[in-house]
Amino acid sequence: MPTGSHWTANSLNIITLLEQPGKEEKRKAMAKVHRARSTSPPDGGWGWMIVAGCFLVTICTRAVTRCISIFFVEFQTYFTQDYAQTAWIHSIVDCVTMLCAPLGSVVSNHLSCQVGIMLGGLLASTGLILGSFATSLKHLYLTLGVLTGLGFALCYSPAIAMVGKYFNRRKALAYGIAMSGSGIGTFILAPVVQLLIEQFSWRGALLILGGFVLNLCVCGALMRPITLEEDHTTPEQNHVCRTQKEGLKQVSPYSSLTKEWAQACLCCCLQQEYRFLLISDFVVLAISILFMAYGCSPLFVYLVPYALSVGVSHQQAAFLMSILGVIDIIGNITFGWLTNRRCLKNYQYVCYLFAVGMDGLCYLCLPMLQSLPLLVPFSCTFGYFDGAYVTLIPVVTAEIVGTTSLSSALGVVYFLHAVPYLVSPPIAGWLVDTTGSYTAAFLLCGFSMIFSSVLLGFARLVKRMRKTQLQFIAKESDPKLQLWTNGAVAYSVTRELDQKHGESVATAVPGYSPT
């Protein structure tokens, strides 16, 4: 049975035979032009328009998703369903958004970020508009859940990845501003959606939200593509994929060689895009994301129902969501700015762990807060640290995988949110229905987020201890070995010392050549 490498070798040989004279010179000229267009992240300029576009994307995706919880009581009353059944609406839209995040990355990588976001805007708007005509919860599962979630998926991760391509030195600040759209959107939309429901019923409110989400098409138009120097770090592998694509165009689409080349090119491109999956640090981050995502989602579904259950009015409950949103903004921007300072720039990973852990502690305190004056400080604290760690997720991911793989890596990271987002609200609703209280649901979410923080912290501590131990053993075993560290990179001067030693021997003994 031929292997993938066998197919690739055969494909390249056949393509080489089919290439016309002068094709290699044309390819080299195009490569020179492509390299001339490449640049380092500008850290400004049009990058601020990218930040503005990503800001609007987070408003139209994450803020609108959060505001679906305001419809919770309306859906429950209109369709006469329990907590668990109604919670599936929010779970499905969140799950599909994250589950299809890799699809958004693939579309943006192989077509363009602009096409992906515009297409996503059309799908999300269609889902909301069709949802306004729903006659059962199952219809809302398909329209508001699946279709709108798919549209959000095509927009969310590509827009966030574009910010990382335009910024390097100010990356944390840029992400802080861009991700603050979620908080600002929640602050503005929560009371507006409540007012729309009162004036036009939940059907009219969904219809208006569908028109509002069409602004994602405008955001997509702002995403001007940029080619970075880092994108050319593996020219041999890029040449393989490019040569296969050129050869593929010369052959009839009905030829057997077409399928062969397509398989080889697909294998090569996927290997390039997802090679970061073998990095141990990314695996640990992925596991911790699962627990963090399980804990963060239910609050946005059950904060309003919980507030109503302890005697808070509808307007005051919606006001709690607004507070959560506006403090989320402060967390986005201030944490992004603080972690960009020289004193904290090397501790962004630790700041992320601290923010996730603090949200977990807030969950543990929530069952004891049963009045509006106590729920307001909770909303402030939880919202601040929620905005903080959301801002740092792309920064921490970029630190592990680099800028070139950031779009694909963010697609995987948000994909890992999918299953927890799908199951956590219904599980919390089942616990509420079973126990008659929100205590068990909130405690489970709190411990889940704390475990996520502890897991990452323990993994980083073990890695640092192992690195220190290896350096100590290396120095003890070879007196000529000196390690000069610069951040996470270690440079050895052993080879230079050996070369100098060999040169001195060659000078003293004519005819001697060091190996």
Side-chain angles (χ1 to χ4, degrees), residues 266-284:
L266 179 62
C267 179
C268 173
C269 293
L270 290 178
Q271 184 181 6
Q272 273 289 93
E273 290 179 17
Y274 294 99
R275 62 184 183 275
F276 59 84
L277 292 173
L278 301 178
I279 302 175
S280 59
D281 286 349
F282 185 82
V283 174
V284 175

Side-chain angles (χ1 to χ4, degrees), residues 188-238:
I188 297 173
L189 288 179
V192 170
V193 168
Q194 183 64 44
L195 182 62
L196 291 175
I197 292 174
E198 293 174 358
Q199 295 293 325
F200 305 104
S201 79
W202 64 267
R203 294 185 184 277
L206 283 180
L207 189 63
I208 294 172
L209 280 179
F212 172 75
V213 165
L214 276 175
N215 285 290
L216 286 170
C217 298
V218 180
C219 302
L222 296 174
M223 300 296 169
R224 181 187 298 172
I226 183 173
T227 304
L228 301 176
E229 293 174 355
E230 188 177 347
D231 295 339
H232 302 280
T233 53
T234 54
E236 295 84 1
Q237 294 173 333
N238 289 340

Side-chain angles (χ1 to χ4, degrees), residues 106-336:
V106 170
V107 172
S108 66
N109 289 339
H110 294 277
L111 295 178
S112 74
C113 185
Q114 294 172 320
V115 172
I117 294 178
M118 289 181 178
L119 178 61
L122 291 174
L123 289 176
S125 176
T126 302
L128 286 164
I129 293 172
L130 291 178
S132 66
F133 299 99
T135 57
S136 69
L137 281 182
K138 292 181 180 179
H139 294 163
L140 288 175
Y141 294 162
L142 293 175
T143 56
L144 186 57
V146 176
L147 194 56
T148 299
L150 178 60
F152 288 165
L154 295 179
C155 302
Y156 191 54
S157 58
I160 294 174
M162 281 295 291
V163 176
K165 287 182 175 291
Y166 272 84
F167 288 87
N168 184 23
R169 184 168 52 87
R170 301 174 179 173
K171 183 175 291 183
L173 177 61
Y175 272 125
I177 297 172
M179 303 299 284
S180 66
S182 176
I184 292 177
T186 305
F187 173 72
I188 297 173
L189 288 179
V192 170
V193 168
Q194 183 64 44
L195 182 62
L196 291 175
I197 292 174
E198 293 174 358
Q199 295 293 325
F200 305 104
S201 79
W202 64 267
R203 294 185 184 277
L206 283 180
L207 189 63
I208 294 172
L209 280 179
F212 172 75
V213 165
L214 276 175
N215 285 290
L216 286 170
C217 298
V218 180
C219 302
L222 296 174
M223 300 296 169
R224 181 187 298 172
I226 183 173
T227 304
L228 301 176
E229 293 174 355
E230 188 177 347
D231 295 339
H232 302 280
T233 53
T234 54
E236 295 84 1
Q237 294 173 333
N238 289 340
H239 171 59
V240 171
C241 293
R242 184 171 56 251
T243 306
Q244 289 174 339
K245 290 178 181 178
E246 291 174 355
L248 188 63
K249 296 177 181 178
Q250 300 178 2
V251 184
S252 170
Y254 301 102
S255 171
S256 61
L257 294 178
T258 303
K259 296 181 180 180
E260 181 180 323
W261 286 336
Q263 292 173 355
C265 186
L266 179 62
C267 179
C268 173
C269 293
L270 290 178
Q271 184 181 6
Q272 273 289 93
E273 290 179 17
Y274 294 99
R275 62 184 183 275
F276 59 84
L277 292 173
L278 301 178
I279 302 175
S280 59
D281 286 349
F282 185 82
V283 174
V284 175
L285 176 66
I287 296 172
S288 72
I289 287 290
L290 292 173
F291 290 94
M292 182 272 292
Y294 179 90
C296 70
S297 179
L299 181 78
F300 297 99
V301 180
Y302 292 108
L303 179 59
V304 172
Y306 174 71
L308 295 174
S309 70
V310 296
V312 177
S313 67
H314 284 269
Q315 288 293 341
Q316 290 174 334
F319 179 65
L320 287 175
M321 287 294 293
S322 296
I323 293 175
L324 197 67
V326 73
I327 300 300
D328 193 288
I329 304 165
I330 299 174
N332 287 140
I333 298 176
T334 59
F335 234 68

Side-chain angles (χ1 to χ4, degrees), residues 380-402:
C380 294
T381 307
F382 188 93
Y384 182 82
F385 288 109
D386 179 74
Y389 78 73
V390 166
T391 296
L392 292 179
I393 286 176
V395 178
V396 171
T397 306
E399 179 184 332
I400 294 174
V401 306

